[in-house]
């Protein structure tokens, strides 16, 4: 979706269904992980966590989306991040939402006013989108979690032969 000057207004989001048919319990540091001063390491981790059960509250209405674009970069949401999107949640003012505007998916914060709906980017190079009666508009789902890769890719060493 572009504005009248040709500037891109929306990002693309690839959507995938959430498969919660399997369970994978992973070790869980139930005492927390210090982000400040280090604490003595836990000798044993007795708890486990299943991310399917932790982050997917409504399996039949939950989907994953991979972000393409940078309209939410100032919130730390970058291309390649994975969104957990729950379609059963009624959007509230300020929610991070995946919306469909005139056939295009976009990821934006939603501002609900008495007589207007705004879709707000978190990148100063993108303009807010005012939803008008002329738009085909749907809040497709509410983002409940963002999963991002934090390990930087390693540079490959080219071996000469």
């Amino acid at each position: 979706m572009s504005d009248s000057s040709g500037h891109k207004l929306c990002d693309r989001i690839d959507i995938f269904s959430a498969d919660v048919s399997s369970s994978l319990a992973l070790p869980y540091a139930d005492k927390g992980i210090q982000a400040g001063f280090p604490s003595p390491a836990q000798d044993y981790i007795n708890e486990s966590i299943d991310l399917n059960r932790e982050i997917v509250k409504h399996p039949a209405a939950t989907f994953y989306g991979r972000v393409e674009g940078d309209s939410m970069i100032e919130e730390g949401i970058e291309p390649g991040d994975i969104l957990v999107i729950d379609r059963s949640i009624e959007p509230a003012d300020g929610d991070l939402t995946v919306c469909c505007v005139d056939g295009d998916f976009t990821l934006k914060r939603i501002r609900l006013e008495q007589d207007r709906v705004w879709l707000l980017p978190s990148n100063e190079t993108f303009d807010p989108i005012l939803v008008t009666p002329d738009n085909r508009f749907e809040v497709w789902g509410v983002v409940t979690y963002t999963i991002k890769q934090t390990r930087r890719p390693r540079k490959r060493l080219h071996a000469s032969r």
Side-chain angles (χ1 to χ4, degrees):
M1 179 177 174
S2 301
D3 66 11
S4 58
S5 64
H7 290 93
K8 186 176 174 187
L9 298 176
C10 299
D11 294 323
R12 184 170 157 220
I13 302 170
D14 293 327
I15 304 293
F16 307 92
S17 13
D19 178 4
V20 294
S21 61
S22 62
S23 173
L24 176 61
L26 300 171
Y28 173 63
D30 62 331
K31 301 294 187 221
I33 298 173
Q34 292 293 324
F37 292 105
S39 64
Q42 287 181 298
D43 292 331
Y44 302 99
I45 297 178
N46 295 328
E47 297 291 319
S48 65
I49 189 169
D50 181 342
L51 290 179
N52 278 337
R53 290 185 183 186
E54 184 70 23
I55 66 175
V56 178
K57 302 300 183 208
H58 307 107
T62 300
F63 295 82
Y64 299 117
R66 186 174 306 274
V67 176
E68 293 184 16
D70 59 359
S71 73
M72 300 304 289
I73 202 128
E74 292 169 14
E75 285 195 41
I77 300 172
E78 301 172 314
D81 289 352
I82 297 172
L83 308 172
V84 179
I85 307 158
D86 191 328
R87 295 198 67 196
S88 70
I89 297 175
E90 186 70 29
D93 186 51
D95 276 345
L96 184 60
T97 57
V98 173
C99 297
C100 190
V101 181
D102 297 330
D104 292 321
F105 281 119
T106 189
L107 173 67
K108 302 287 186 279
R109 289 265 171 216
I110 193 166
R111 177 178 294 152
L112 301 173
E113 297 178 352
Q114 186 171 8
D115 58 346
R116 292 192 239 195
V117 174
W118 287 92
L119 303 179
L120 306 176
S122 290
N123 180 333
E124 64 184 26
T125 64
F126 287 74
D127 293 322
I129 299 169
L130 173 62
V131 178
T132 69
D134 294 334
N135 294 117
R136 289 177 295 133
F137 174 73
E138 174 187 11
V139 176
W140 197 81
V142 174
V143 176
T144 55
Y145 290 90
T146 303
I147 303 169
K148 65 187 317 84
Q149 182 173 342
T150 57
R151 185 165 191 227
R152 295 183 183 138
R154 302 291 181 216
K155 292 182 181 177
R156 291 183 177 209
L157 298 176
H158 297 288
S160 59
R161 294 185 185 207

